[in-house]
mmCIF file of all heavy atoms in Angstrom:
data_model
loop_
_atom_site.group_PDB
_atom_site.id
_atom_site.type_symbol
_atom_site.label_atom_id
_atom_site.label_comp_id
_atom_site.label_asym_id
_atom_site.label_seq_id
_atom_site.Cartn_x
_atom_site.Cartn_y
_atom_site.Cartn_z
ATOM 1 N N ASP A 23 105.704 73.381 100.067
ATOM 2 C CA ASP A 23 106.514 74.329 100.837
ATOM 3 C C ASP A 23 107.556 74.868 99.863
ATOM 4 O O ASP A 23 108.489 74.158 99.488
ATOM 5 C CB ASP A 23 107.174 73.599 102.013
ATOM 6 C CG ASP A 23 108.200 74.473 102.744
ATOM 7 O OD1 ASP A 23 108.330 75.669 102.413
ATOM 8 O OD2 ASP A 23 108.879 73.940 103.651
ATOM 9 N N GLY A 25 110.385 76.856 99.662
ATOM 10 C CA GLY A 25 111.313 77.440 100.630
ATOM 11 C C GLY A 25 112.428 78.250 100.003
ATOM 12 O O GLY A 25 112.666 78.172 98.803
ATOM 13 N N THR A 26 113.095 79.028 100.836
ATOM 14 C CA THR A 26 114.241 79.810 100.380
ATOM 15 C C THR A 26 115.380 78.876 100.000
ATOM 16 O O THR A 26 116.065 79.071 98.997
ATOM 17 C CB THR A 26 114.740 80.735 101.511
ATOM 18 O OG1 THR A 26 113.633 81.403 102.063
ATOM 19 C CG2 THR A 26 115.738 81.733 100.985
ATOM 20 N N ASN A 28 115.119 75.111 100.536
ATOM 21 C CA ASN A 28 114.609 73.830 100.055
ATOM 22 C C ASN A 28 113.105 73.908 99.846
ATOM 23 O O ASN A 28 112.415 74.607 100.570
ATOM 24 C CB ASN A 28 114.887 72.744 101.090
ATOM 25 C CG ASN A 28 116.365 72.507 101.280
ATOM 26 O OD1 ASN A 28 117.079 72.182 100.329
ATOM 27 N ND2 ASN A 28 116.842 72.693 102.498
ATOM 28 N N LYS A 87 113.444 83.046 96.598
ATOM 29 C CA LYS A 87 112.297 83.462 97.414
ATOM 30 C C LYS A 87 112.492 84.853 98.013
ATOM 31 O O LYS A 87 111.539 85.591 98.235
ATOM 32 C CB LYS A 87 112.082 82.441 98.532
ATOM 33 C CG LYS A 87 110.826 82.631 99.362
ATOM 34 C CD LYS A 87 110.695 81.492 100.349
ATOM 35 C CE LYS A 87 109.454 81.582 101.208
ATOM 36 N NZ LYS A 87 109.360 80.409 102.112
ATOM 37 N N GLU A 187 103.183 79.602 106.739
ATOM 38 C CA GLU A 187 104.035 78.478 107.127
ATOM 39 C C GLU A 187 103.808 78.046 108.579
ATOM 40 O O GLU A 187 103.681 76.850 108.843
ATOM 41 C CB GLU A 187 105.499 78.817 106.852
ATOM 42 C CG GLU A 187 105.785 78.838 105.350
ATOM 43 C CD GLU A 187 107.088 79.535 104.964
ATOM 44 O OE1 GLU A 187 107.899 79.826 105.872
ATOM 45 O OE2 GLU A 187 107.282 79.789 103.767
ATOM 46 N N ASP A 211 110.847 79.236 113.578
ATOM 47 C CA ASP A 211 111.286 78.720 112.276
ATOM 48 C C ASP A 211 112.642 79.292 111.891
ATOM 49 O O ASP A 211 112.761 80.456 111.515
ATOM 50 C CB ASP A 211 110.225 79.074 111.216
ATOM 51 C CG ASP A 211 110.568 78.527 109.827
ATOM 52 O OD1 ASP A 211 111.713 78.066 109.620
ATOM 53 O OD2 ASP A 211 109.688 78.572 108.951
ATOM 54 N N GLY A 213 115.319 78.638 109.222
ATOM 55 C CA GLY A 213 115.578 77.907 107.978
ATOM 56 C C GLY A 213 116.982 78.186 107.486
ATOM 57 O O GLY A 213 117.921 78.337 108.273
ATOM 58 N N GLY A 214 117.121 78.265 106.162
ATOM 59 C CA GLY A 214 118.433 78.489 105.583
ATOM 60 C C GLY A 214 118.845 79.944 105.648
ATOM 61 O O GLY A 214 119.965 80.268 106.031
ATOM 62 N N THR A 216 116.448 82.586 106.639
ATOM 63 C CA THR A 216 115.541 83.464 107.354
ATOM 64 C C THR A 216 115.142 82.865 108.693
ATOM 65 O O THR A 216 115.115 81.656 108.858
ATOM 66 C CB THR A 216 114.236 83.662 106.549
ATOM 67 O OG1 THR A 216 113.637 82.388 106.353
ATOM 68 C CG2 THR A 216 114.504 84.310 105.214
ATOM 69 N N VAL A 342 110.442 74.554 113.515
ATOM 70 C CA VAL A 342 110.382 74.427 112.056
ATOM 71 C C VAL A 342 111.727 74.838 111.480
ATOM 72 O O VAL A 342 112.407 75.709 112.048
ATOM 73 C CB VAL A 342 109.294 75.353 111.468
ATOM 74 C CG1 VAL A 342 109.185 75.181 109.958
ATOM 75 C CG2 VAL A 342 107.944 75.115 112.116
ATOM 76 N N GLY A 343 112.089 74.259 110.340
ATOM 77 C CA GLY A 343 113.293 74.675 109.635
ATOM 78 C C GLY A 343 114.474 73.773 109.951
ATOM 79 O O GLY A 343 114.668 73.362 111.101
ATOM 80 N N VAL A 373 106.280 71.913 107.350
ATOM 81 C CA VAL A 373 105.471 72.900 106.632
ATOM 82 C C VAL A 373 104.755 72.246 105.448
ATOM 83 O O VAL A 373 103.551 72.434 105.253
ATOM 84 C CB VAL A 373 106.342 74.097 106.193
ATOM 85 C CG1 VAL A 373 105.583 74.988 105.224
ATOM 86 C CG2 VAL A 373 106.785 74.897 107.414
HETATM 87 MG MG1 LIG B 729 111.064 77.005 105.523
#
Side-chain angles (χ1 to χ4, degrees):
D23 172 5
T26 312
N28 295 302
K87 187 176 181 178
E187 289 164 11
D211 182 348
T216 59
V342 182
V373 169

